[in-house]
Amino acid sequence: MNYTVVLPAAGSGKRMGAAYNKLFLKLNGKPILAHTLEVFQLDPWCEEIVLAINEQERQDIEKLITQYQLTKVTKLVQGGDERQHSVYAALQAASGAEIVLVHDAARPFILQETIHALVEKATASGGAIAAVKAKDTMKRVVDGQVQETIDRETLWSVQTPQAFQYELLMKAARQADEQGFLGTDEGMLAERAGIPVYVVESSYDNQKMTTPEDLVLGEGILRRREETK
Ligand code: CTP
Ligand code: MG
């Protein structure tokens, strides 16, 4: 079962507070971007990797691709101002794919078993997004006052990858683009286009490297994986 993966990598990493794109920060001596790309390079189901990048980082990314022998990366397209714009540009470059996955380049700990479950579900049903069950008690709050406690059983924290039949996601993305709608994930675009979206239970390890604390967590995940190998 094959798929193409689209990786938005054209952010600037403001919340990380580094002087450059956080994806070049290293975990165990290897850039976050290389960790993420290697997962897909090593997955036999992955046919092609399309990256949305900042144009001024093109040379550094080409160097990284050569250094880590990431031969499945076929296209580097220019990203946009918002993540959704970067994804849309990369999706257009992925035409011809049947199943497409969108995955944040800043999530290096995605497991192959989750990817495969997503591809299978999207193939059967349209769309599937990685998510984990909410761990905390959740309440709705307005102006500092609790309105209600929400039944946790129905709440999921959503991650990427998000997998779709390519034509369905393109239809949803095109519609959002035409209407100037900005969503926070691809699932949201699909939902409003009437496309069925299912969740696939993922791992709590599949964290996005967003703030400096996440790097400490990331090093910890790598250490544990090293020890339990
Ligand atoms: N991204 C992108 N194009 C943008 C913004 C984000 O391709 N215009 C990518 C990032 O590179 C990252 C993923 O989308 O891999 C998730 O975004 P986020 O974690 O928010 O990264 P940044 O936007 O870089 O970080 P920040 O919001 O802290 O500036
Ligand atoms: Mg961002």
Side-chain angles (χ1 to χ4, degrees):
M1 229 172 230
N2 295 333
Y3 67 89
T4 292
V5 66
V6 157
L7 294 163
S12 54
K14 274 191 223 85
R15 285 169 288 175
M16 192 59 84
Y20 47 88
N21 188 345
K22 65 183 178 183
L23 298 176
F24 293 104
L25 288 174
K26 290 177 175 165
L27 291 172
N28 268 9
K30 189 189 293 181
I32 292 171
L33 182 59
H35 280 284
T36 309
L37 286 170
E38 275 185 350
V39 174
F40 294 100
Q41 179 68 31
L42 294 173
D43 179 6
W45 288 17
C46 178
E47 282 191 315
E48 195 182 341
I49 303 170
V50 178
L51 273 176
I53 64 160
N54 293 308
E55 207 44 55
Q56 69 273 20
E57 290 166 358
R58 181 175 290 270
Q59 278 189 1
D60 291 326
I61 290 178
E62 282 172 350
K63 214 160 82 189
L64 179 145
I65 289 168
T66 307
Q67 182 182 351
Y68 292 96
Q69 298 176 36
L70 302 162
T71 54
K72 290 184 184 173
V73 180
T74 53
K75 292 177 190 113
L76 304 180
V77 306
Q78 192 177 335
D81 286 344
E82 299 288 342
R83 178 185 173 284
Q84 187 177 312
H85 300 140
S86 300
V87 170
Y88 191 45
L91 278 175
Q92 286 168 305
S95 64
E98 279 182 28
I99 295 292
V100 68
L101 254 71
V102 178
H103 183 60
D104 292 325
R107 292 186 194 269
F109 303 115
I110 180 63
L111 298 173
Q112 194 179 95
E113 63 186 76
T114 307
I115 295 171
H116 288 188
L118 287 161
V119 171
E120 281 169 347
K121 190 69 190 167
T123 303
S125 309
I129 63 180
V132 287
K133 288 181 177 147
K135 284 184 185 179
D136 295 323
T137 295
M138 302 292 229
K139 295 184 192 280
R140 187 182 314 283
V141 178
V142 177
D143 294 334
Q145 189 187 356
V146 173
Q147 311 290 307
E148 61 168 329
T149 301
I150 300 165
D151 177 15
R152 198 170 53 198
E153 285 305 302
T154 67
L155 291 179
W156 293 73
S157 293
V158 171
Q159 312 170 333
T160 67
Q162 304 201 346
F164 294 90
Q165 295 174 16
Y166 179 82
E167 291 304 332
L168 293 181
L169 181 57
M170 267 318 273
K171 182 178 143 219
R174 214 178 294 124
Q175 199 177 91
D177 188 62
E178 282 163 10
Q179 298 171 351
F181 176 84
L182 264 190
T184 49
D185 71 341
E186 287 60 54
M188 203 168 164
L189 309 189
E191 291 154 37
R192 66 192 289 281
I195 294 160
V197 180
Y198 291 83
V199 297
V200 161
E201 188 159 14
S202 176
S203 149
Y204 290 103
D205 277 2
N206 183 28
Q207 294 276 354
K208 186 157 66 67
M209 298 295 106
T210 306
T211 59
E213 302 79 62
D214 295 324
L215 300 177
V216 179
L217 196 98
E219 296 274 3
I221 291 171
L222 287 177
R223 203 173 319 118
R224 164 159 50 76
R225 286 187 180 179
E226 210 41 56
E227 282 164 8
T228 55
K229 238 191 211 159

